[in-house]
Amino acid sequence: MKKNNKRRHAEIASEENKAPGPLPAVRHSDEPVAKKTKWTNKQRVLVFCSRGINYRDRHLMEDLKKLMPHHKPESKVERSKSLTVVNEMCEMKNCNKAVMFEGRKKMDLYLWLANVPNGPSVKFLVENVYTMSELKLTGNCLRGSRPLLSFDPTFKEKPHFLLLKELLTQIFGVPNHHPKSQPFFDHVYTFTILDNRIWFRNFQILSEDGALAEVGPRFVLNPVKIFSGSFGGAALWENPFYVSPAKYRQQIRLAAKNKYLNRVQQKAHASTANSGDGYKMTPLDDIFQGDPLKKAQEIESKEKEEKQTNGVKAKATRKRLPRKKK
């Protein structure tokens, strides 16, 4: 016991003789807490849809959610509500971008891309939709990895394409050091302009020499209008080549309706065009062929016969007509 007590006293004395170390960090109550400065680009995208979309459009929305780790989900919006409610939803979710899928007639799909709350916003018609589950593609990418964005050089030619390029970059680009993202690139988004439409493709990067394999999904964006505000405002640009799906289907029905009539008219035209009679350029060419006296007598006899036949027809019609009562 004495030995243990001596050892304890020696340790306490050695600790007292040591030089004092650095004091612990002290923070005053008025000073704000220092935040991490790595995640500077804090883009948050609200992805949701309205009621009335079909199963394929819903699967496309789920595929885009998987590709964007910086998104925030939201339940479906009722049709009765106006689009200005989306600004309040984004404010509640602390989002500065919005992606909204709007379905009409269970056939047509429209896509809204908006910068909340000041705008601009773009309305697209989504065409040729193929989801990840439909396509038998060999590509694969890690969930949450950051993509490379590849844009067609024609985006720099017109001002409305420049605006669309900036909006697509801010929405589909995953912020650096995002908590839900992976710190490397393994796939590429390509945006190509063809036939006044934007074609979207997603490819996996297989090797450094540029080998790619398509992952999916696929879809085509047909721009309709660009608005100055968020989900509304003045129309900055309108697509002159846009034809609504309802009008396009109406044109197809009219073409099918007139198909039988066009066929009958073509047959009638073909029968008249292929007749063996042909056209007589000058019907009196045969007068000067042969003896002129005989020709004159033949013409006189033909005229007499025509007069006689016309007189007989006139008498027959008079007999058929009812007599007037006095």
Side-chain angles (χ1 to χ4, degrees), residues 8-220:
R8 287 175 185 172
H9 288 300
E11 289 176 357
I12 292 169
S14 62
E15 288 178 359
E16 291 178 352
N17 295 330
K18 282 183 180 179
L23 296 174
V26 179
R27 183 179 65 85
H28 297 286
S29 61
D30 296 336
E31 294 178 0
V33 181
K35 296 181 179 179
K36 295 180 181 179
T37 58
K38 279 188 176 181
W39 186 26
T40 57
N41 180 19
K42 297 189 177 182
Q43 297 283 348
R44 299 181 182 89
V45 184
L46 186 68
V47 181
F48 64 103
C49 67
S50 65
R51 292 198 178 275
I53 65 172
N54 55 21
Y55 68 95
R56 180 178 291 178
D57 303 337
R58 189 174 65 253
H59 290 174
L60 175 64
M61 182 181 67
E62 295 297 329
D63 292 343
L64 289 183
K65 285 182 179 179
K66 293 176 184 177
L67 295 177
M68 294 191 295
H70 59 293
H71 85 278
K72 285 193 176 183
E74 182 59 41
S75 57
K76 292 181 180 180
V77 181
E78 299 292 337
R79 289 183 177 180
S80 58
K81 295 183 180 180
S82 62
L83 293 178
T84 54
V85 182
V86 181
N87 298 328
E88 300 176 4
M89 295 166 57
C90 293
E91 187 178 356
M92 292 170 62
K93 290 281 187 176
N94 196 16
C95 296
N96 53 3
K97 297 289 184 296
V99 176
M100 177 183 173
F101 291 87
E102 183 182 1
R104 294 182 184 175
K105 298 182 180 180
K106 294 285 185 179
M107 292 184 289
D108 308 326
L109 177 65
Y110 290 90
L111 177 65
W112 286 83
L113 304 180
N115 182 25
V116 181
N118 299 322
S121 58
V122 189
K123 183 181 180 182
F124 295 97
L125 173 66
V126 185
E127 301 172 340
N128 301 335
V129 176
Y130 295 95
T131 59
M132 286 183 181
S133 57
E134 292 180 38
L135 297 172
K136 305 297 181 181
L137 300 174
T138 58
N140 191 12
C141 61
L142 187 64
R143 185 167 183 172
S145 59
R146 300 181 65 202
L148 296 173
L149 302 182
S150 174
F151 287 92
D152 194 13
T154 53
F155 273 95
K156 299 180 181 179
E157 295 179 358
K158 296 181 181 180
H160 61 276
F161 282 142
L162 282 171
L163 178 61
L164 294 177
K165 178 183 177 182
E166 184 63 27
L167 192 60
L168 292 170
T169 303
Q170 294 182 14
I171 289 177
F172 287 96
V174 179
N176 193 13
H177 299 291
H178 192 276
K180 295 183 180 180
S181 66
Q182 302 292 337
F184 52 84
F185 300 90
D186 69 341
H187 59 290
V188 186
Y189 297 160
T190 61
F191 298 92
T192 310
I193 296 176
L194 182 64
D195 194 18
N196 298 312
R197 292 169 174 83
I198 300 174
W199 299 64
F200 175 84
R201 295 290 184 271
N202 181 20
F203 296 97
Q204 178 197 359
I205 302 173
L206 297 177
S207 59
E208 296 181 357
D209 58 352
L212 300 174
E214 189 172 355
V215 182
R218 294 179 181 177
F219 55 90
V220 180

Side-chain angles (χ1 to χ4, degrees), residues 93 95 187 230 255 259 293 300 302:
K93 290 281 187 176
C95 296
H187 59 290
S230 175
K259 189 175 181 181
L293 293 174
E300 287 180 359
K302 286 181 180 180

Side-chain angles (χ1 to χ4, degrees), residues 254-268:
L254 289 175
K257 178 182 177 182
N258 298 329
K259 189 175 181 181
Y260 175 74
L261 183 61
N262 293 335
R263 194 190 313 161
V264 171
Q265 290 178 354
Q266 287 176 0
K267 285 183 178 179

